């Protein structure tokens, strides 16, 4: 929902004011909108775009060299009036006429049409052009009735670049027509936006469903379906657009196409990239050659959750216009000056160490490796079972990712260990491989620390000797020291160190007196559980990762808790294997 | 929430893959992240940034000339491992050492520190630097413990621009230290994000409240307060940052400052601009000179609703580095080539027609103008009362803005009419001014049509003659014809035409037989009410604005309904004034 506003009635004007203030080097506010800070060169056709507010960067963010000469901006989701449009057009006019461009909505058609009449009456040659790219808004045979959505951008850009190249008004209009005729969009949505000051969204989509064929003002979709995976969404978008090729394009194979994957507001960049990955793959399979794709937020609808795909089927002229440089507040293209040296003779990316060969190992150690693998499987299972609980505990004062991080790490460790074991590795190598995999995949603090723990254990066990209770205890003691050194924490700081130290100490003390490993581990696990529970009473050291640590009083530390859970679970494996 | 993903565990990798595909002309994927497509020039220090995924454009979007040489990217909200960081650093290394830069989080500190050790062991000179800009995460005397949030950008950029200028590794580090020491951020949040595959958000903020002092991973804030207006939010952010000036800055007055207003994900651009408007004003009042501000999404947290303000207090060196050109996928700065001609000798923005002088009017017409003003006041009151209902009806098949548009238009018309009336205008001029104001302020289809209606009435009444029942009926008939012509709709298309035509016809017929205006109007209003209700049974013409019109079966048309409401309300005024 839209939360930050003053008087909702003043929202659009205040947003325009703030936009102009932030980009005062590039745009100049005029009555009704903005024009470029620099003058339209004499004799150049001026392209004036526009529409309602709420779609940024459409429309004001698209004013600049290589793009629009001016933008007329209306109230939230409402066309600017003919008066506002005429005012912007007069300011942008360079003496060679004005092309007024907008998405095809009834209000815009009316107001831009009236503005063109007024301008013409005043002696300024003016034509209008409405973009009609949204294939879900009318059937192919009624394509002139279609709405304009993210296809606004390539059509505006083609016309503006043509104007920049000195074409006449009629020629610029012809370019707009050709670009529009070759541009198609299709979108899906998961939730609507709430306008400033409104108390409910323009539309809603049931949980775990999607609306197919969205409008950028919350116009309902043409259908509804289950929430897709990213790949399914990509397939729906691509298939829909490949199903309606523009006139003159017989088959996608061998065509050059400008591609825009547009986020409507709260489908965010990483999600868009995940979808784009599949879009590019599917278009590639269809033989399409993608030209300078755009993935981002280009025509939005406040924080509406939706995504649309736009394809512009290029010919040579349209490709040149699509590639032409542009420099608007929200859309830039073209090199700054000389291109960078191509990457030749530079070191290629370092490849990971060759993992295929494992060091020689004794039969004893290979036998122990089976136990190690069982331990790591149990660790991963234990974490899977408790992942949500760990995340919840971690969220009290941290970022709540402890569960998911431990899950990624322990799963990767289990896989790496299985691979090494299958190749006949000893216990030391199995643990070392597991350590690297855990650290690499889990990331985060816990990833580094668990990598250290497994590596210390691997070093202590090695690939030759049979693992004794003392060796295991030594490994745990090394792990404890390594974690303290690396993490910089001590007992009492409310971290996993609070558990690891008594666990290691108990294990060392018990094995030193000859207690069998299973029993020694049992005692150590009990000490770990007690220590983990006790972290609930601690106030953690105020530090980098936990600025709001005091909130965690009464909750155990997530890292301490997970360590105790693992210690206990591993005891079960030792009983089975002993 | 995050909706588009495949296997949540593969999310970060797939996003990186899609990012690299979309920007293959600018970046090259390597193990662990991306590097610039072009080689790091020999002898140039490489700046390698990084952190968890989920913060785009941090970190991969900030790789490019004038910015980072490479970015190491971890899993969602998790530091990249030392192995991934080392891999990226090796690929980016240009022979002059590497500065590893990241926000100050425990996991990043560990992994980047380990990576620096590994690189050094391999003969690549490597230093680390953690950004600590978030003033809410630790007290000033513990500023080294603070988190890095949107201040990452100016600190990364300063170091990278310094590297580009040929400084040594130690010198680049010193620049990073100075930029960081002079950079402060403060943020607020309204809702947390939900990670891919998770079933609840990382944190929640109660409805209509805000968390003060957000973290970019959903770390809880340091306090909570009522949801602010945009201006209050701006004041909180500015006041917090002006309350802690960096060492060496005695007072804000006369300082040059880089300003970043950063959206965390679903606080959108227009909202940011509304907030920025006040931020710029408040900083201006404090005597601060704003240098090249940035307003947008630069360090995000999926679709978290939050906003942060960052100030970098510039000295001459830092200002040069901040202004230096940059060309990364998500951050570009600097001119394309020659600057555009400054705007001199160009026509200034057309000013609105001088509204201060009203044409001469007869006493009769001035008397009638008082009635017109009363009518317009009643129209505005009626719309205010029904605005929400009208929006709800319109949302069924349209964009739900009919109520708000009518409100804006009728309010503006009321004000313009009052102004003209106070200047002694006749009925015709009062209606003409009201018509222009309605069309200008309301925008949208209804704005254009109501402007036409009032203008037709104004023309029929004029400023000289006393308004007779026939003149009023003639004006309404003209309005009906104008609306049909302009809107291109006919009776039966489920628009306001369905009501306007029988209303006008009834009024004309009644007045033609000498029926007094109040009674004729009463009959016409009844016809209007009947016709409006009947639109519920109509299937609208499939057209531009209403692709999903069939959904409206059973609901009256909003424009038809509001016209009938107005017709009835105006009858009350005529009774009072007759």
């Amino acid at each position: 929902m839209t939360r930050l506003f003053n008087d909702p009635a003043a929202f659009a004007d205040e947003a325009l004011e703030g936009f102009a203030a932030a980009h005062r080097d590039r745009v100049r506010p005029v009555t009704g909108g903005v024009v470029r800070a620099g003058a339209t060169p004499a004799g150049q056709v001026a392209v004036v775009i526009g529409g309602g507010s709420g779609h940024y960067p459409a429309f004001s963010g698209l004013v600049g060299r290589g793009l629009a000469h001016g933008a007329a901006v209306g109230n939230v989701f409402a066309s600017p009036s003919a008066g506002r449009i005429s005012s912007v057009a007069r300011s942008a006019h360079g003496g060679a006429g004005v092309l007024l461009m907008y998405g095809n909505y009834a209000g815009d058609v009316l107001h831009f049409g009236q503005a063109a009449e007024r301008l013409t009456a005043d002696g300024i040659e003016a034509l209008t052009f409405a973009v009609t790219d949204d294939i879900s808004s009318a059937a192919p045979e009624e394509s002139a009735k279609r709405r304009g959505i993210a296809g606004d951008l390539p059509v505006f850009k083609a016309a503006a670049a043509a104007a920049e190249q000195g074409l006449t008004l009629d020629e610029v209009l012809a370019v707009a027509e050709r670009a529009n005729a070759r541009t198609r969009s299709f979108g899906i949505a998961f939730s609507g936006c709430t306008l400033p000051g409104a108390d409910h969204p323009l539309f809603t989509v049931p949980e775990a469903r999607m609306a197919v064929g969205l409008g950028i003002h919350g116009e309902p979709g043409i259908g509804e379906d289950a929430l897709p995976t990213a790949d399914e969404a990509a397939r729906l978008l691509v298939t829909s657009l490949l199903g309606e090729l523009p006139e003159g394009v017989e088959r996608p194979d061998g065509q050059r196409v400008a591609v825009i994957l547009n986020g409507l507001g709260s489908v965010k960049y990483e999600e868009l990239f995940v979808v784009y990955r599949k879009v590019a793959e599917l278009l590639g399979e269809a033989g399409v050659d993608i030209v300078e794709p755009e993935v981002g937020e280009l025509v939005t609808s406040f924080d509406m959750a939706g995504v649309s795909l736009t394809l512009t089927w290029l010919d040579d002229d349209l490709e040149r216009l699509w590639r032409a440089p542009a420099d608007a507040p929200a859309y830039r293209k073209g090199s700054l000056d000389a291109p960078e040296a191509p990457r030749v003779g530079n070191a290629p990316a370092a490849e990971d160490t060759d993992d295929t060969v494992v060091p020689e190992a004794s039969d004893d150690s290979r036998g122990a490796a089976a136990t190690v693998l069982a331990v790591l499987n149990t660790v991963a299972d234990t974490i899977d079972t408790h992942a949500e609980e760990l995340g919840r505990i971690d969220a009290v004062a941290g970022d709540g990712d402890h569960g998911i991080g431990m899950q990624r790490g322990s799963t990767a460790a289990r896989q790496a260990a299985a691979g090494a074991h299958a190749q006949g590795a000893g216990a030391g190598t199995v643990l070392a491989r597991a350590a690297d995999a855990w650290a690499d995949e889990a990331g985060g603090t816990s990833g580094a620390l668990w990598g250290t723990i497994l590596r210390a254990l691997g070093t202590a066990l090695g690939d030759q000797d049979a693992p004794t209770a003392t060796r295991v205890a030594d490994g745990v003691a090394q792990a404890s020291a390594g974690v303290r050194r690396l993490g910089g924490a001590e007992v009492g700081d409310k971290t996993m160190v609070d558990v690891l130290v008594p666990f290691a100490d108990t294990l060392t003390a018990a094995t030193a007196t000859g207690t069998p490993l299973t029993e020694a581990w049992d005692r150590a696990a009990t000490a770990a559980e007690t220590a983990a529970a006790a972290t609930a009473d601690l106030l953690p050291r105020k530090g980098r990762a936990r600025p709001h640590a005091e909130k965690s009083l009464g909750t155990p530390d997530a890292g301490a808790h997970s360590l105790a859970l693992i210690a206990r679970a591993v005891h079960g494996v030792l009983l089975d294997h002993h």
Side-chain angles (χ1 to χ4, degrees), chain A:
Chain A
M1 62 183 296
T2 310
R3 293 183 180 82
L4 287 173
F5 49 83
N6 300 303
D7 174 4
F11 183 84
D13 285 342
E14 292 185 351
L16 189 64
E17 207 181 305
F19 165 76
H23 295 286
R24 58 189 171 185
D25 54 331
R26 288 156 175 258
V27 298
R28 193 167 65 87
V30 296
T31 302
V34 292
V35 295
R36 297 187 194 172
T40 299
Q44 187 171 111
V45 170
V47 171
V48 171
I49 62 174
S53 293
H55 305 300
Y56 192 89
F59 294 89
S60 54
L62 303 179
V63 171
R65 295 186 68 196
L67 253 164
H69 295 79
V73 180
N75 224 311
V76 172
F77 287 6
S79 168
S81 67
R84 290 174 72 90
I85 298 162
S86 311
S87 159
V88 173
R90 284 195 188 93
S91 296
H93 188 224
V98 181
L99 181 60
L100 303 177
M101 302 186 74
Y102 44 91
N104 188 32
Y105 297 91
D108 293 297
V109 171
L110 286 178
H111 289 289
F112 280 90
Q114 286 186 329
E117 284 175 23
R118 284 196 203 176
L119 290 166
T120 305
D122 292 353
I124 295 177
E125 204 183 354
L127 297 175
T128 62
F129 188 78
V131 179
T132 56
D133 58 309
D134 179 9
I135 67 168
S136 75
S137 55
E141 57 277 14
E142 293 197 304
S143 64
K145 291 185 178 171
R146 287 177 171 173
R147 298 180 291 223
I149 56 173
D152 279 356
L153 174 65
V155 180
F156 292 167
K157 184 174 190 304
E164 203 106 343
Q165 290 170 9
L167 270 61
T168 66
L169 183 57
D170 286 337
E171 289 166 344
V172 171
L173 177 66
V175 166
E177 282 166 353
R178 193 158 77 252
N180 185 59
R182 288 175 157 257
T183 297
R184 301 278 189 283
S185 300
F186 190 76
I188 53 179
F190 313 113
S191 80
C193 60
T194 303
L195 299 185
D199 53 7
H200 54 268
L202 277 181
F203 73 102
T204 56
V205 180
E207 182 110 4
R209 305 284 290 173
M210 77 169 155
V212 178
L214 82 165
I216 59 171
H217 306 92
E219 299 94 335
I222 54 173
E224 202 187 283
D225 210 336
L227 191 68
T229 65
D231 285 358
E232 289 163 357
R235 192 174 294 278
L236 172 64
L237 296 174
V238 169
T239 308
S240 300
L241 291 179
L242 292 188
E244 194 198 308
L245 300 179
E247 224 182 282
V249 176
E250 295 303 313
R251 33 182 294 181
D253 195 26
Q255 295 292 327
R256 298 177 66 73
V257 175
V259 176
I260 299 172
L261 188 67
N262 178 56
L264 272 289
S266 67
V267 167
K268 299 310 298 182
Y269 309 105
E270 281 92 346
E271 292 174 276
L272 292 174
F273 288 130
V274 170
V275 175
Y276 180 74
R277 170 183 156 276
K278 192 70 181 181
V279 166
E281 184 186 314
L282 293 170
L283 288 175
E285 285 170 9
V288 165
D289 202 351
I290 297 174
V291 178
E292 296 196 354
E294 295 287 341
V295 181
E297 297 179 348
L298 294 156
V299 177
T300 64
S301 184
F302 286 108
D303 63 338
M304 172 170 164
V307 57
S308 66
L309 180 67
T310 299
L311 303 183
T312 298
W313 300 81
L314 302 171
D315 56 25
D316 288 349
D317 281 346
L318 290 176
E319 178 165 347
R320 206 182 60 247
L321 297 168
W322 175 243
R323 287 180 178 277
D327 182 13
Y331 189 85
R332 304 195 66 190
K333 189 168 216 173
S335 62
L336 287 174
D337 36 57
E340 234 169 7
R343 180 176 287 274
V344 285
N346 222 47
E351 290 309 320
D352 299 327
T353 330
D354 185 357
D355 272 351
T356 52
V357 183
V358 299
E360 282 289 313
S362 71
D363 288 351
D364 278 352
S365 188
R366 283 210 293 271
T371 308
V372 166
L373 186 56
V375 164
L376 290 170
N377 279 326
T378 298
V379 168
D381 291 344
T382 305
I383 293 301
D384 277 349
T385 308
H386 292 88
E388 208 195 313
E389 173 195 357
L390 293 171
R392 216 166 43 235
I393 295 176
D394 187 40
V396 174
D399 57 12
D401 68 351
H402 183 74
I404 202 168
M406 290 288 287
Q407 236 178 338
R408 284 194 299 250
S410 60
T411 301
R414 175 215 301 251
Q415 286 167 351
H421 177 63
Q423 292 169 61
T429 293
V430 167
L431 279 162
R433 294 278 166 88
D436 286 347
W438 192 312
D440 277 2
E441 288 304 314
T445 316
S446 68
L449 299 179
W450 275 95
T452 299
I453 291 172
L454 297 187
R455 209 171 292 116
L457 286 170
T459 304
L461 297 189
D463 286 337
Q464 300 306 327
D465 304 309
T468 61
T470 315
R471 269 186 204 283
V472 171
D474 280 355
V476 172
Q478 293 297 326
S480 171
V483 164
R484 270 180 293 173
R485 182 168 42 76
L486 189 62
E490 288 303 331
V491 171
D493 285 348
K494 189 163 188 163
T495 71
M496 78 186 299
V497 168
D498 287 331
V499 174
L500 187 54
V501 168
F503 177 79
D505 289 353
T506 306
L507 191 66
T508 301
T511 53
T513 58
T515 313
L517 182 59
T518 46
E519 197 185 322
W521 193 282
D522 186 24
R523 283 187 216 164
T526 303
E529 287 164 337
T530 308
T535 61
D537 303 326
L538 293 174
L539 193 65
R541 176 182 65 144
K542 232 179 149 56
R544 286 163 177 144
R546 304 175 169 201
H548 315 306
E550 59 278 9
K551 299 205 176 181
S552 75
L553 209 56
T555 309
D557 176 70
H561 184 57
S562 60
L563 175 55
L565 289 172
I566 288 171
R568 175 54 60 200
V570 169
H571 179 241
V573 183
L574 296 180
L575 280 178
D576 290 348
H577 283 248
H578 113 275

